[in-house]
Amino acid sequence: MKNAFYLLIGLFLFLLAIDLIGNSFKLLNKEVVESILQLTSNPFIGLFIGLLITALIQSSSTSTSMVVAIVASGSIGLSEAIPMIMGANVGTTLTSTLVSLSFITKKEEFRKALSAGVVHDFFNILVVAILFPLEYYYGLLTNLSSSISTLIVGNNYGSIQSEYGYSVFTRPIIDWITGLFPFPIILSILAFAILALSIKVISKILYKTITGGSKEVLQRYFFGGPYRSFLWGAAITAGIQSSSVTTSVIVPFVATRKIKLKQAFTFIMGANVGTTLTALIAATFKSEAAISIALVHLLFNLFGVLIFLPFPFIRKIPVNLARNFGRRANDARILGFVYIIFTFFVIPFILISYTNARQDRVELTYEINKKSNGETNFKKIVVKEFDANHLNHWFVYEGLKTKEEATDVPTEILEAYYKKNLMILDNMVFKLGSINECWSGSDELGNYNICLKDMEVVYKRGSLTLDSVYAFEKRYSVDSLGWEKIYVDPVRQIIVKSLLYDDAGDLTSSEVLVELSKL
């Protein structure tokens, strides 16, 4: 009973420390997370943003929930969110690396602790290096997660929102501490001290409770083989629903030679799989996007396990990398701090800035005329392109009274790409095939057909001239909804003109491109 009480105290302190780290980050700039997320316009930035945000707020569950909410709102798509989930898997490993720094005063223990801390980093980084190109070029995780989610639950998803977490217990204390010390740096130092203390308490109690203080029992029953330690890692993490706790507790075990680094690594792989249970349970009561993202999280970690666990020679790669890093950092202990600062903060910031600067950006200005009331307004779209043959993004600003007006926050973010004679804008497909070739689709208004009516049309508007423009007609199955004529430039991946007609064939509104400028 006494041990159980101390264990609960240790877990509470751990969660308090994680929450305090996140709160100290928010004090720096309460809007910085939203601002960073709005920068996401290509998979590389998404990867680094996922890593950076998770490292800053010290909770992959929180950052993943943020991504789910943004996807559910329609601001970004699943393919855009997946790199962020990959980055979150790397960012969450910072916790165990931070814990290893608490052994810095003991040379031999520090070497082993740091190796145990960074082996999680190296494993997830290697998995990202393998899976990210497969997702970028072939949409591996996007296609798999979408297919599985449809197979499991069909096309009808619940809309019930289920949110729960430990913050309801820690929040009053966090608010009280923040009121006493409203300084981010002081709060971060305090959080790190509580984190280190809580992990030492948890690891000591668990060791005594589970093994009776016997190293032999620990080795025989929990780490007797790679598959046994993997299963225990998955089971324990699924039970307590926090990989941060289980992977951090392993660090003192390795530091004090209770288990070997290679045994800790297979346990960590199990913890990676076990932590996906929380998202899967929560996603059951959410949207299609939530289910797909939860499956992405599971598939990412399962692929990592399938690549490393069955093959001893491959399993040695992250272990040897971590062991060598521990030796080098033991000779120059400042290396541990430098590694954390650069890997989780400096490098992501630099890469986000670099990849964002490499993007081509075009601003489109549309004039919108409504015949019913004679009203005229404008719409601006900023098209960001990182790879001409990959995904582009439209940042839409609607309801502008003048051509110069625009808000800081877009009203909508759409995905567009052109590949194999297909231009896809959000969920609408334009095929560059034969004249009068038609295909079907659906949106919130109902089912429709899109037919190609003309090609190689030249569009002129003042000084603006575009060639290779294709004309399409979009007609709904219900005549009363009218029909639309859409002119598309697939090379630039833009809509040039949209004309809306009623069922009698009279023009009701028009949206035409009046300016195109490179930013």
Side-chain angles (χ1 to χ4, degrees):
M1 181 64 75
K2 186 178 179 181
N3 285 342
F5 174 75
Y6 285 132
L7 181 61
L8 288 174
I9 292 295
L11 284 170
F12 180 80
L13 289 175
F14 178 87
L15 298 174
L16 180 70
I18 296 298
D19 206 9
L20 190 58
I21 291 173
N23 200 67
S24 63
F25 161 63
K26 291 175 185 176
L27 285 179
L28 292 173
N29 189 339
K30 292 183 179 180
E31 297 178 353
V32 71
V33 175
E34 289 83 357
S35 300
I36 290 174
L37 286 171
Q38 284 183 20
L39 290 173
T40 308
S41 56
N42 68 68
F44 294 94
I45 291 182
L47 177 69
F48 305 136
I49 284 176
L51 190 161
L52 180 62
I53 289 179
T54 308
L56 286 169
I57 65 178
Q58 275 296 277
S59 173
S60 61
S61 297
T62 301
S63 58
T64 302
S65 298
M66 291 167 60
V67 174
V68 169
I70 294 169
V71 172
S73 70
S75 297
I76 62 175
L78 177 64
S79 59
E80 199 172 7
I82 287 175
M84 299 175 73
I85 299 299
M86 290 186 180
N89 272 275
V90 177
T92 194
T93 63
L94 174 61
T95 307
S96 54
T97 309
L98 281 172
V99 169
S100 68
L101 297 181
S102 63
F103 292 86
I104 198 167
T105 57
K106 301 176 182 179
K107 187 173 183 181
E108 187 62 23
E109 289 186 4
F110 176 65
R111 176 178 65 81
K112 291 182 175 296
L114 188 60
S115 297
V118 300
V119 74
H120 196 189
D121 307 354
F122 294 160
F123 168 63
N124 278 340
I125 290 171
L126 289 171
V127 176
V128 167
I130 295 169
L131 294 183
F132 183 80
L134 295 176
E135 170 61 25
Y136 181 77
Y137 290 107
Y138 305 106
L140 174 67
L141 294 175
T142 300
N143 295 329
L144 272 177
S145 62
S146 298
S147 299
I148 295 172
S149 63
T150 302
L151 183 65
I152 294 173
V153 296
N155 293 317
N156 297 316
Y157 298 89
S159 59
I160 301 172
Q161 299 297 310
S162 174
E163 299 293 341
Y164 59 91
Y166 59 83
S167 293
V168 67
F169 301 107
T170 60
R171 179 54 50 194
I173 299 176
I174 293 296
D175 292 339
W176 178 71
I177 295 175
T178 304
L180 288 178
F181 307 102
F183 308 104
I185 295 177
I186 294 177
L187 288 176
S188 298
I189 295 171
L190 178 62
F192 175 71
I194 296 173
L195 182 68
L197 174 64
S198 65
I199 287 298
K200 289 193 174 183
V201 171
I202 293 170
S203 60
K204 186 175 181 179
I205 297 298
L206 284 179
Y207 179 64
K208 289 183 177 179
T209 304
I210 294 173
T211 68
S214 170
K215 180 179 176 181
E216 289 73 22
V217 172
L218 185 70
Q219 291 279 2
R220 185 186 309 159
Y221 292 103
F222 291 89
F223 297 93
Y227 292 97
R228 179 176 293 181
S229 59
F230 167 79
L231 290 174
W232 274 113
I236 294 174
T237 305
I240 64 175
Q241 297 188 1
S242 175
S243 62
S244 297
V245 174
T246 50
T247 56
S248 298
V249 166
I250 284 295
V251 171
F253 285 1
V254 176
T256 55
R257 299 188 177 185
K258 292 181 175 68
I259 61 173
K260 297 178 181 178
L261 181 61
K262 63 181 182 180
Q263 295 172 318
F265 175 52
T266 53
F267 183 91
I268 286 169
M269 281 193 281
N272 271 14
V273 174
T275 194
T276 63
L277 178 65
T278 307
L280 286 170
I281 293 172
T284 304
F285 304 101
K286 291 191 176 180
S287 64
E288 175 185 359
I291 294 171
S292 296
I293 288 175
L295 288 170
V296 165
H297 196 194
L298 174 62
L299 289 170
F300 175 85
N301 289 300
L302 281 179
F303 276 127
V305 169
L306 292 173
I307 292 168
F308 285 88
L309 185 61
F311 311 104
F313 64 96
I314 297 180
R315 208 159 60 227
K316 288 180 181 178
I317 295 173
V319 173
N320 289 337
L321 286 172
R323 188 176 285 124
N324 291 333
F325 180 82
R327 291 195 190 103
R328 293 180 181 275
N330 205 32
D331 296 332
R333 300 191 193 183
I334 192 66
L335 186 61
F337 292 96
V338 172
Y339 165 78
I340 288 175
I341 292 170
F342 272 83
T343 302
F344 295 97
F345 303 106
V346 175
I347 293 177
F349 264 121
I350 292 173
L351 293 177
I352 287 171
S353 301
Y354 172 70
T355 52
N356 198 41
R358 285 187 60 197
Q359 295 180 121
D360 291 328
R361 294 194 297 169
V362 175
E363 184 179 87
L364 312 173
T365 303
Y366 294 84
E367 183 180 296
I368 302 172
N369 290 294
K370 295 182 179 180
K371 302 299 181 182
S372 57
N373 54 13
E375 180 183 334
T376 299
N377 55 43
F378 297 88
K379 176 167 75 173
K380 284 195 177 182
I381 296 176
V382 176
V383 179
K384 293 187 179 182
E385 178 184 283
F386 181 75
D387 182 341
N389 294 318
H390 194 66
L391 191 65
N392 292 344
H393 295 85
W394 287 21
F395 294 79
V396 183
Y397 303 85
E398 293 185 291
L400 309 182
K401 295 179 180 179
T402 66
K403 290 192 293 185
E404 293 73 28
E405 182 184 350
T407 58
D408 294 330
V409 181
T411 54
E412 192 176 17
I413 302 176
L414 304 176
E415 296 180 348
Y417 66 90
Y418 174 50
K419 189 175 183 181
K420 295 181 180 179
N421 292 327
L422 290 177
M423 177 180 158
I424 301 176
L425 174 60
D426 204 18
N427 294 320
M428 192 158 51
V429 179
F430 299 97
K431 293 183 181 179
L432 310 182
S434 305
I435 298 295
N436 292 322
E437 182 180 357
C438 302
W439 53 96
S440 60
S442 64
D443 58 20
E444 65 277 3
L445 295 179
N447 298 324
Y448 59 77
N449 285 329
I450 294 184
C451 302
L452 177 60
K453 291 299 181 180
D454 200 358
M455 61 179 68
E456 305 297 330
V457 179
V458 177
Y459 175 79
K460 291 185 177 181
R461 175 90 180 197
S463 60
L464 178 63
T465 301
L466 302 175
D467 53 12
S468 301
V469 175
Y470 290 69
F472 297 86
E473 284 187 8
K474 177 183 177 183
R475 294 180 181 268
Y476 286 93
S477 56
V478 179
D479 291 338
S480 60
L481 293 175
W483 58 282
E484 187 176 7
K485 196 161 189 176
I486 306 170
Y487 294 83
V488 173
D489 184 339
V491 176
R492 295 177 179 84
Q493 301 179 42
I494 62 174
I495 287 179
V496 177
K497 181 167 60 173
S498 173
L499 307 174
L500 186 62
Y501 298 85
D502 60 21
D503 55 347
D506 295 325
L507 183 66
T508 59
S509 68
S510 63
E511 183 177 307
V512 297
L513 181 66
V514 293
E515 287 184 16
L516 186 154
S517 56
K518 195 163 186 177
L519 299 177

